[in-house]
Each structure stands twice: as C-alpha cells, then as structure tokens.
Amino acid sequence: MRQRSMLFHYLLRSAILGSFSCLIVRLVQEGRLHYYIAPRTELYVKLAALGLFLVAVCQAFIALQSYDAKRRETCGCHHPIASSIWKNTAVYSLFLLPLGLGLFTPDTLLGSGMASLKGVNLTSSALVRGADSAAASTSVVPETSIQPDVTKETETAEAAELPDATAPPTPAIDPLQALFPYDTYTELHAKLGMKLYQSDDAVTINEFGFIETLTTFDLYRDNFIGKRVAISGFVYREDTMKDGQFVISRLAMLCCSADTEPYGILAVIPDGQKLADDTWVQATGTIGLTHYLGNEIMELQIDEIKTIKQPKSPYVYPDDAYFDAMLGKSGTVQD
C-alpha cells in the first residue's frame, strides 16, 4: 500500500512538472508567450521549461524506484510522503490551478479593464524626474552655457568693474540646448527631444520607443506644441473626460503581465464618444495642451483617424536600445 502511495505521488509530480514544461513549449511554438512575459525574460522562461522537464524525469525515476522493492533496498534512502489528504490537496492545488488556467483559458489581451483598475499614465515624465528632491542637485549644464565667474573676497567693487582684456571670450548660448535643459536622469531624453524638435516630418510613435518618445514629449511639452504626431493604440476613457475626449493607450510591460501599466496620450475629436472602448485606432494630429484633473497635460488634436486591427504584439516595453538607435551608442544625435 505504501509503495502504491509513493508511486502515485511521484508520478503526479512528474506529470504536473512535465505539463508546465509542455505548456511553455506550446506557447513558444504558437507565438503566444509575449502575452505573459516581456521579450527580455523569454530566454529564462525557455530555460525553465528545460529544467522542469529534467525534474519531471527525475520524479518519474524515483517513482519507479519506490515501486521496485529491490531497487528501493539498494537505494537505502527514504522519501516520506505526507499522509494528510488535506495537506496534499492544498499543496498540489498551488500547481494545478495555474496549470489549469494556462491550459484551458483563452489568451486575452488586457485593455481598458486594466486601465480602469490602475489608471492610465498621462504624465510619464514623472518616471525620469528623479527619485527625490536630491535630483535637482545633479543638474547638468550644457557645455556651451555660461558659467558664473568666481571672484575672490579681497577684490574690490572698483576692480570688478574694470574689463579684463586677458579673459577669454564668453561662449554663446546654444538656443536649441537652452530649450532642452537636462539632469542626470533626462540627458538622453533631452538629446532625443532636440532630434525630434528639428525634424519637419510628423513623429510616428511606434511600439519600439513608445514610452521613451511619450516621456520626451511630456518632459518638454511646451517645445512640441503644434508638432504633428501619428500614434496607434486602444481607446480608453473615463467618466471625468469631456465629450470627444479619450485616451489612445498602450499597455507597457516590464517583466510580465502582472506589472503592466497603461500609458497614453489624451486625444480629442468631434464625435469621439462614438468610438467604443478597446477599439484599436491609428490617429494623426497636432500636440496641444489642456488641463485634466488639475494637471496640465498634452492633448492630441486629431485631424485623421481610422480603426485598425489589434497588432500581433499589442504590448510595448521600456527599452533603452531606442536611444541607441536614434542617437547612436555615443549618445550623440544621428542624422
């Protein structure tokens, strides 16, 4: 009886772990793994599938040893199994429940329902302004800006008024850099902002660089008033929004679906209330400013909009590689 109990438990463990491994393999083969985790963690999950398969094989091997009396005597070790039915049920349920959800529930894209729970982020610049007020002390001044002269306390006011013929000429302030001041946290955004500011073309905000571009616009929103922008995302609205207003939003995923957070831009168009929530749209318009819930935020004044199909990869991901692509690895603006 004891041998049968041990055989059952070890075979069940082997089946559970093997099923998890097969589930991951199936998600990879069907291209559905991105619904659950970010691309940066896919390699680790694939390696975990291999590890789970090996452990499942080990559990099956132990099951055979526990059933074979001769091998069990040769082993000389004991693998006690809890006798409590409730304890075993509780332990196995921790594995069977997520396995059942993965195997028998359809893949569903998180949308306006998630946005309504977490709230959409319309001021993404707060993420890079610094963790505390100490960030202000790390401000970086562009090399071409004017640096104040340091005078000795013993110099008299009359001597200070005399021109110094030997002093080097003061460098002129670069008007473009003056528009994009930065600190330690926002240097790359400032350089990206300069590049976008100088472009006469409409800025297309794609999946790659979605958060980085929106954050740059929000940091230097006054500089981009009137800038034409093309963006796509799903429609989300709140009860506090005016008629015609809605958010063009995307869900940003850092590691997995549990940490997704909605990002987007407030948009306005006549009859915008006719667009249903979770409708995917591609819109083009100009950047303006408005006030919402007591905050000054960007508003996309739409002049062209069309509905589109949900993209194959609906999520967006923070990726510093976007700065490398736009500015070069040296951090300088690339033409």
Side-chain angles (χ1 to χ4, degrees):
M1 187 68 180
R2 177 179 175 82
Q3 287 77 15
R4 290 182 180 181
S5 175
M6 294 181 65
L7 177 66
F8 169 77
H9 281 283
Y10 282 115
L11 287 180
L12 178 59
R13 295 174 185 180
S14 177
I16 292 175
L17 296 176
S19 297
F20 271 112
S21 179
C22 292
L23 174 61
I24 296 173
V25 172
R26 191 184 75 175
L27 291 174
V28 172
Q29 290 179 337
E30 297 178 358
R32 297 187 290 122
L33 193 60
H34 69 272
Y35 279 87
Y36 303 96
I37 60 173
R40 69 178 67 184
T41 60
E42 286 188 2
L43 176 61
Y44 305 107
V45 174
K46 294 175 182 178
L47 293 176
L50 177 60
L52 289 170
F53 176 76
L54 294 177
V55 175
V57 172
C58 291
Q59 292 292 308
F61 178 74
I62 295 175
L64 294 177
Q65 278 194 324
S66 65
Y67 189 71
D68 190 330
K70 293 182 179 180
R71 290 186 177 181
R72 188 172 64 255
E73 292 175 358
T74 303
C75 176
C77 55
H78 301 280
H79 309 281
I81 300 295
S83 59
S84 172
I85 297 178
W86 295 109
K87 182 181 293 186
N88 288 325
T89 301
V91 171
Y92 288 130
S93 296
L94 295 176
F95 296 88
L96 291 173
L97 180 59
L99 180 61
L101 292 174
L103 291 173
F104 303 111
T105 58
D107 299 319
T108 303
L109 171 67
L110 303 175
S112 59
M114 175 62 70
S116 63
L117 290 174
K118 291 190 174 183
V120 67
N121 192 330
L122 299 175
T123 55
S124 55
S125 62
L127 300 176
V128 294
R129 290 188 184 276
D132 50 41
S133 59
S137 63
T138 63
S139 296
V140 179
V141 182
E143 295 178 358
T144 56
S145 61
I146 299 176
Q147 299 290 341
D149 294 330
V150 180
T151 59
K152 297 181 180 180
E153 295 181 358
T154 56
E155 291 180 343
T156 61
E158 292 79 3
E161 293 177 357
L162 296 176
D164 187 357
T166 62
T170 302
I173 299 176
D174 187 335
L176 182 60
Q177 289 187 341
L179 289 173
F180 293 89
Y182 59 85
D183 59 24
T184 304
Y185 301 95
T186 60
E187 180 177 1
L188 291 177
H189 293 87
K191 293 178 179 179
L192 177 61
M194 295 180 208
K195 180 180 178 68
L196 300 177
Y197 180 81
Q198 295 177 92
S199 174
D200 295 330
D201 300 328
V203 177
T204 301
I205 304 179
N206 297 313
E207 290 86 356
F208 183 48
F210 186 92
I211 299 175
E212 290 76 16
T213 305
L214 272 187
T215 301
T216 298
F217 277 2
D218 190 40
L219 278 168
Y220 306 102
R221 62 173 75 101
D222 291 337
N223 298 334
F224 291 105
I225 296 176
K227 188 73 173 179
R228 287 187 60 78
V229 171
I231 188 173
S232 61
F234 65 87
V235 172
Y236 166 71
R237 58 172 54 85
E238 297 177 344
D239 296 336
T240 51
M241 293 178 180
K242 302 176 182 177
D243 289 342
Q245 283 186 330
F246 58 92
V247 179
I248 300 177
S249 180
R250 299 294 291 265
L251 290 172
M253 181 189 297
L254 182 61
C255 293
C256 64
S257 57
D259 62 21
T260 54
E261 185 175 355
Y263 285 80
I265 184 171
L266 185 66
V268 61
I269 190 176
D271 298 330
Q273 63 273 14
K274 295 182 179 180
L275 291 169
D277 287 351
D278 292 320
T279 301
W280 280 81
V281 298
Q282 183 177 16
T284 303
T286 56
I287 296 291
L289 295 178
T290 189
H291 285 83
Y292 180 65
L293 299 181
N295 298 313
E296 184 181 63
I297 61 174
M298 292 185 299
E299 182 181 62
L300 182 65
Q301 299 163 359
I302 298 175
D303 49 48
E304 297 178 20
I305 188 171
K306 62 179 181 180
T307 58
I308 59 174
K309 293 182 179 180
Q310 176 184 306
K312 182 179 180 180
S313 179
Y315 296 104
V316 294
Y317 311 94
D319 195 346
D320 289 340
Y322 180 71
F323 292 114
D324 294 338
M326 294 293 289
L327 307 175
K329 293 186 178 180
S330 61
T332 58
V333 176
Q334 301 293 308
D335 295 330

